[in-house]
Amino acid sequence: VEPANAGKDHMLIPSELDSVEAPIKKKNIPAGPQICRVIDAEEKVTSGGRSYISLKMQIDGGEFEGRTIFGSLYGDGNWLPQFKAALAAFQIKTKPGAELHASDFIGRKAIVTLKLETYNGKTNAKPAFDAYSKYDETPLSDEASEQLAF
């Protein structure tokens, strides 16, 4: 079924427009640790031919619950320590030479330390180089809990 105005150079203004509230500006996610769950992962290749895994993560708990964070994992060069730490943090057991699939990350949780990065005038929270650490489901001590940016 095509919309009533399909193929036309205009659209109809919805009748409920007057009752809609203006969008609320979301508070920026601060730098610091957040518990994140991978909701999507994809194997990609850069224009230069480097393979990497693109992670789409959702903050799991606290003031920013449900907000999305994106990260990239490169399994080569200077990025190898981050890649190894991410595998350990997300509790993915593997060994050199074994196949790793992006889907192996989906549904797994880790503590992701975020940094603020400004690009084209917009500041976003991104995983830091040393971002990934293991998330343990056991309750945190009061001191450790205070370090999480809830």
Side-chain angles (χ1 to χ4, degrees):
V1 176
E2 288 191 31
N5 59 343
K8 298 179 182 176
D9 63 353
H10 66 278
M11 67 179 279
L12 298 175
I13 302 297
S15 59
E16 63 273 6
L17 184 67
D18 289 337
S19 65
V20 174
E21 300 274 330
I24 297 171
K25 183 170 173 35
K26 290 183 178 178
K27 186 176 175 183
N28 287 343
I29 300 168
Q34 293 283 349
I35 298 168
C36 293
R37 181 175 45 85
V38 177
I39 59 171
D40 195 19
E42 193 176 343
E43 296 162 35
K44 294 185 176 184
V45 178
T46 67
S47 58
R50 286 179 69 203
S51 310
Y52 68 100
I53 295 176
S54 173
L55 299 177
K56 181 178 180 181
M57 298 172 279
Q58 209 167 51
I59 295 176
D60 193 40
E63 179 181 355
F64 301 98
E65 181 165 9
R67 298 279 295 274
T68 305
I69 300 292
F70 295 91
S72 300
L73 298 175
Y74 293 86
D76 62 4
N78 293 336
W79 292 96
L80 201 51
Q82 183 195 50
F83 186 77
K84 183 177 181 179
L87 290 173
F90 288 109
Q91 301 179 48
I92 296 174
K93 307 258 188 272
T94 189
K95 59 184 177 184
E99 282 191 13
L100 176 69
H101 301 277
S103 60
D104 295 339
F105 287 90
I106 296 175
R108 296 179 183 264
K109 290 183 188 181
I111 296 174
V112 181
T113 301
L114 304 174
K115 67 177 183 171
L116 298 180
E117 187 175 278
T118 302
Y119 183 72
N120 287 338
K122 187 172 179 171
T123 301
N124 288 309
K126 303 275 185 186
F129 180 77
D130 58 349
Y132 303 98
S133 56
K134 185 178 174 185
Y135 171 68
D136 187 349
E137 299 275 348
T138 58
L140 296 173
S141 68
D142 288 341
E143 183 179 311
S145 185
E146 288 173 9
Q147 291 178 4
L148 289 173
F150 290 154

PDB file of all heavy atoms in Angstrom, residues 93-113:
ATOM      1  N   LYS A  93      36.018 -16.692  24.410  1.00  0.00           N
ATOM      2  CA  LYS A  93      37.168 -17.603  24.473  1.00  0.00           C
ATOM      3  C   LYS A  93      37.587 -17.955  23.048  1.00  0.00           C
ATOM      4  O   LYS A  93      36.780 -18.433  22.256  1.00  0.00           O
ATOM      5  CB  LYS A  93      36.793 -18.871  25.230  1.00  0.00           C
ATOM      6  CG  LYS A  93      36.187 -18.610  26.600  1.00  0.00           C
ATOM      7  CD  LYS A  93      37.172 -18.836  27.703  1.00  0.00           C
ATOM      8  CE  LYS A  93      36.539 -18.778  29.065  1.00  0.00           C
ATOM      9  NZ  LYS A  93      36.481 -17.487  29.655  1.00  0.00           N
ATOM     10  N   THR A  94      38.845 -17.710  22.755  1.00  0.00           N
ATOM     11  CA  THR A  94      39.366 -18.017  21.435  1.00  0.00           C
ATOM     12  C   THR A  94      40.877 -18.221  21.540  1.00  0.00           C
ATOM     13  O   THR A  94      41.448 -18.078  22.615  1.00  0.00           O
ATOM     14  CB  THR A  94      39.012 -16.890  20.430  1.00  0.00           C
ATOM     15  OG1 THR A  94      39.356 -17.316  19.122  1.00  0.00           O
ATOM     16  CG2 THR A  94      39.687 -15.585  20.760  1.00  0.00           C
ATOM     17  N   LYS A  95      41.490 -18.544  20.440  1.00  0.00           N
ATOM     18  CA  LYS A  95      42.937 -18.719  20.406  1.00  0.00           C
ATOM     19  C   LYS A  95      43.450 -18.222  19.063  1.00  0.00           C
ATOM     20  O   LYS A  95      42.673 -18.118  18.099  1.00  0.00           O
ATOM     21  CB  LYS A  95      43.309 -20.185  20.638  1.00  0.00           C
ATOM     22  CG  LYS A  95      42.713 -21.138  19.634  1.00  0.00           C
ATOM     23  CD  LYS A  95      43.030 -22.581  19.979  1.00  0.00           C
ATOM     24  CE  LYS A  95      42.328 -23.474  18.956  1.00  0.00           C
ATOM     25  NZ  LYS A  95      42.480 -24.869  19.243  1.00  0.00           N
ATOM     26  N   PRO A  96      44.735 -17.903  18.964  1.00  0.00           N
ATOM     27  CA  PRO A  96      45.284 -17.414  17.699  1.00  0.00           C
ATOM     28  C   PRO A  96      44.983 -18.365  16.545  1.00  0.00           C
ATOM     29  O   PRO A  96      45.083 -19.582  16.692  1.00  0.00           O
ATOM     30  CB  PRO A  96      46.788 -17.333  17.971  1.00  0.00           C
ATOM     31  CG  PRO A  96      46.885 -17.140  19.453  1.00  0.00           C
ATOM     32  CD  PRO A  96      45.732 -17.952  20.015  1.00  0.00           C
ATOM     33  N   GLY A  97      44.567 -17.802  15.435  1.00  0.00           N
ATOM     34  CA  GLY A  97      44.262 -18.591  14.244  1.00  0.00           C
ATOM     35  C   GLY A  97      42.834 -19.091  14.162  1.00  0.00           C
ATOM     36  O   GLY A  97      42.395 -19.567  13.119  1.00  0.00           O
ATOM     37  N   ALA A  98      42.078 -19.011  15.265  1.00  0.00           N
ATOM     38  CA  ALA A  98      40.676 -19.456  15.258  1.00  0.00           C
ATOM     39  C   ALA A  98      39.802 -18.410  14.565  1.00  0.00           C
ATOM     40  O   ALA A  98      40.154 -17.235  14.498  1.00  0.00           O
ATOM     41  CB  ALA A  98      40.181 -19.677  16.687  1.00  0.00           C
ATOM     42  N   GLU A  99      38.675 -18.852  14.054  1.00  0.00           N
ATOM     43  CA  GLU A  99      37.725 -17.924  13.432  1.00  0.00           C
ATOM     44  C   GLU A  99      36.936 -17.190  14.505  1.00  0.00           C
ATOM     45  O   GLU A  99      36.516 -17.782  15.494  1.00  0.00           O
ATOM     46  CB  GLU A  99      36.746 -18.680  12.528  1.00  0.00           C
ATOM     47  CG  GLU A  99      37.319 -19.062  11.204  1.00  0.00           C
ATOM     48  CD  GLU A  99      36.252 -19.568  10.238  1.00  0.00           C
ATOM     49  OE1 GLU A  99      35.047 -19.394  10.501  1.00  0.00           O
ATOM     50  OE2 GLU A  99      36.646 -20.148   9.225  1.00  0.00           O
ATOM     51  N   LEU A 100      36.744 -15.900  14.294  1.00  0.00           N
ATOM     52  CA  LEU A 100      35.928 -15.077  15.176  1.00  0.00           C
ATOM     53  C   LEU A 100      34.848 -14.444  14.320  1.00  0.00           C
ATOM     54  O   LEU A 100      35.135 -13.905  13.251  1.00  0.00           O
ATOM     55  CB  LEU A 100      36.785 -13.998  15.847  1.00  0.00           C
ATOM     56  CG  LEU A 100      36.035 -13.006  16.720  1.00  0.00           C
ATOM     57  CD1 LEU A 100      35.494 -13.689  17.978  1.00  0.00           C
ATOM     58  CD2 LEU A 100      36.946 -11.846  17.113  1.00  0.00           C
ATOM     59  N   HIS A 101      33.626 -14.527  14.770  1.00  0.00           N
ATOM     60  CA  HIS A 101      32.506 -13.930  14.043  1.00  0.00           C
ATOM     61  C   HIS A 101      31.987 -12.743  14.846  1.00  0.00           C
ATOM     62  O   HIS A 101      31.918 -12.801  16.077  1.00  0.00           O
ATOM     63  CB  HIS A 101      31.387 -14.951  13.834  1.00  0.00           C
ATOM     64  CG  HIS A 101      31.849 -16.149  13.072  1.00  0.00           C
ATOM     65  ND1 HIS A 101      31.924 -16.173  11.698  1.00  0.00           N
ATOM     66  CD2 HIS A 101      32.302 -17.351  13.495  1.00  0.00           C
ATOM     67  CE1 HIS A 101      32.392 -17.337  11.308  1.00  0.00           C
ATOM     68  NE2 HIS A 101      32.629 -18.077  12.378  1.00  0.00           N
ATOM     69  N   ALA A 102      31.620 -11.696  14.149  1.00  0.00           N
ATOM     70  CA  ALA A 102      31.083 -10.510  14.822  1.00  0.00           C
ATOM     71  C   ALA A 102      29.902 -10.887  15.712  1.00  0.00           C
ATOM     72  O   ALA A 102      29.740 -10.357  16.813  1.00  0.00           O
ATOM     73  CB  ALA A 102      30.672  -9.461  13.791  1.00  0.00           C
ATOM     74  N   SER A 103      29.108 -11.836  15.272  1.00  0.00           N
ATOM     75  CA  SER A 103      27.921 -12.243  16.035  1.00  0.00           C
ATOM     76  C   SER A 103      28.277 -12.846  17.399  1.00  0.00           C
ATOM     77  O   SER A 103      27.432 -12.908  18.288  1.00  0.00           O
ATOM     78  CB  SER A 103      27.086 -13.234  15.229  1.00  0.00           C
ATOM     79  OG  SER A 103      27.841 -14.387  14.930  1.00  0.00           O
ATOM     80  N   ASP A 104      29.549 -13.258  17.590  1.00  0.00           N
ATOM     81  CA  ASP A 104      29.975 -13.791  18.884  1.00  0.00           C
ATOM     82  C   ASP A 104      29.847 -12.757  20.003  1.00  0.00           C
ATOM     83  O   ASP A 104      29.772 -13.107  21.175  1.00  0.00           O
ATOM     84  CB  ASP A 104      31.429 -14.287  18.820  1.00  0.00           C
ATOM     85  CG  ASP A 104      31.621 -15.476  17.887  1.00  0.00           C
ATOM     86  OD1 ASP A 104      30.630 -16.175  17.590  1.00  0.00           O
ATOM     87  OD2 ASP A 104      32.763 -15.702  17.449  1.00  0.00           O
ATOM     88  N   PHE A 105      29.849 -11.468  19.648  1.00  0.00           N
ATOM     89  CA  PHE A 105      29.764 -10.393  20.633  1.00  0.00           C
ATOM     90  C   PHE A 105      28.329 -10.077  21.061  1.00  0.00           C
ATOM     91  O   PHE A 105      28.107  -9.531  22.136  1.00  0.00           O
ATOM     92  CB  PHE A 105      30.391  -9.104  20.070  1.00  0.00           C
ATOM     93  CG  PHE A 105      31.889  -9.148  19.990  1.00  0.00           C
ATOM     94  CD1 PHE A 105      32.515  -9.625  18.853  1.00  0.00           C
ATOM     95  CD2 PHE A 105      32.666  -8.712  21.048  1.00  0.00           C
ATOM     96  CE1 PHE A 105      33.902  -9.654  18.765  1.00  0.00           C
ATOM     97  CE2 PHE A 105      34.045  -8.744  20.974  1.00  0.00           C
ATOM     98  CZ  PHE A 105      34.666  -9.219  19.831  1.00  0.00           C
ATOM     99  N   ILE A 106      27.356 -10.399  20.216  1.00  0.00           N
ATOM    100  CA  ILE A 106      25.975  -9.977  20.459  1.00  0.00           C
ATOM    101  C   ILE A 106      25.422 -10.584  21.749  1.00  0.00           C
ATOM    102  O   ILE A 106      25.552 -11.774  22.001  1.00  0.00           O
ATOM    103  CB  ILE A 106      25.083 -10.309  19.249  1.00  0.00           C
ATOM    104  CG1 ILE A 106      25.556  -9.496  18.041  1.00  0.00           C
ATOM    105  CG2 ILE A 106      23.610 -10.022  19.546  1.00  0.00           C
ATOM    106  CD1 ILE A 106      24.862  -9.804  16.746  1.00  0.00           C
ATOM    107  N   GLY A 107      24.828  -9.695  22.568  1.00  0.00           N
ATOM    108  CA  GLY A 107      24.228 -10.101  23.830  1.00  0.00           C
ATOM    109  C   GLY A 107      25.187 -10.086  25.011  1.00  0.00           C
ATOM    110  O   GLY A 107      24.768 -10.225  26.155  1.00  0.00           O
ATOM    111  N   ARG A 108      26.467  -9.902  24.756  1.00  0.00           N
ATOM    112  CA  ARG A 108      27.457  -9.922  25.836  1.00  0.00           C
ATOM    113  C   ARG A 108      27.623  -8.533  26.453  1.00  0.00           C
ATOM    114  O   ARG A 108      27.471  -7.529  25.780  1.00  0.00           O
ATOM    115  CB  ARG A 108      28.787 -10.440  25.323  1.00  0.00           C
ATOM    116  CG  ARG A 108      28.680 -11.900  24.873  1.00  0.00           C
ATOM    117  CD  ARG A 108      30.005 -12.392  24.339  1.00  0.00           C
ATOM    118  NE  ARG A 108      29.912 -13.750  23.845  1.00  0.00           N
ATOM    119  CZ  ARG A 108      30.231 -14.824  24.556  1.00  0.00           C
ATOM    120  NH1 ARG A 108      30.657 -14.705  25.787  1.00  0.00           N
ATOM    121  NH2 ARG A 108      30.130 -16.022  24.018  1.00  0.00           N
ATOM    122  N   LYS A 109      27.971  -8.521  27.749  1.00  0.00           N
ATOM    123  CA  LYS A 109      28.149  -7.272  28.484  1.00  0.00           C
ATOM    124  C   LYS A 109      29.606  -7.088  28.889  1.00  0.00           C
ATOM    125  O   LYS A 109      30.322  -8.063  29.118  1.00  0.00           O
ATOM    126  CB  LYS A 109      27.320  -7.273  29.773  1.00  0.00           C
ATOM    127  CG  LYS A 109      25.850  -7.179  29.588  1.00  0.00           C
ATOM    128  CD  LYS A 109      25.195  -7.110  30.959  1.00  0.00           C
ATOM    129  CE  LYS A 109      23.696  -7.208  30.888  1.00  0.00           C
ATOM    130  NZ  LYS A 109      23.097  -7.125  32.228  1.00  0.00           N
ATOM    131  N   ALA A 110      29.994  -5.820  29.007  1.00  0.00           N
ATOM    132  CA  ALA A 110      31.309  -5.453  29.529  1.00  0.00           C
ATOM    133  C   ALA A 110      31.201  -4.047  30.106  1.00  0.00           C
ATOM    134  O   ALA A 110      30.241  -3.326  29.831  1.00  0.00           O
ATOM    135  CB  ALA A 110      32.372  -5.484  28.436  1.00  0.00           C
ATOM    136  N   ILE A 111      32.174  -3.682  30.905  1.00  0.00           N
ATOM    137  CA  ILE A 111      32.277  -2.291  31.343  1.00  0.00           C
ATOM    138  C   ILE A 111      33.102  -1.585  30.277  1.00  0.00           C
ATOM    139  O   ILE A 111      34.210  -2.020  29.940  1.00  0.00           O
ATOM    140  CB  ILE A 111      32.933  -2.177  32.729  1.00  0.00           C
ATOM    141  CG1 ILE A 111      32.030  -2.861  33.771  1.00  0.00           C
ATOM    142  CG2 ILE A 111      33.169  -0.711  33.086  1.00  0.00           C
ATOM    143  CD1 ILE A 111      32.627  -2.944  35.151  1.00  0.00           C
ATOM    144  N   VAL A 112      32.536  -0.527  29.725  1.00  0.00           N
ATOM    145  CA  VAL A 112      33.179   0.222  28.648  1.00  0.00           C
ATOM    146  C   VAL A 112      33.497   1.624  29.166  1.00  0.00           C
ATOM    147  O   VAL A 112      32.593   2.356  29.565  1.00  0.00           O
ATOM    148  CB  VAL A 112      32.276   0.294  27.399  1.00  0.00           C
ATOM    149  CG1 VAL A 112      32.969   1.062  26.279  1.00  0.00           C
ATOM    150  CG2 VAL A 112      31.891  -1.106  26.929  1.00  0.00           C
ATOM    151  N   THR A 113      34.769   1.969  29.192  1.00  0.00           N
ATOM    152  CA  THR A 113      35.174   3.304  29.623  1.00  0.00           C
ATOM    153  C   THR A 113      35.105   4.234  28.423  1.00  0.00           C
ATOM    154  O   THR A 113      35.732   3.982  27.389  1.00  0.00           O
ATOM    155  CB  THR A 113      36.596   3.289  30.217  1.00  0.00           C
ATOM    156  OG1 THR A 113      36.603   2.383  31.323  1.00  0.00           O
ATOM    157  CG2 THR A 113      37.012   4.668  30.690  1.00  0.00           C
TER     158      THR A 113
END
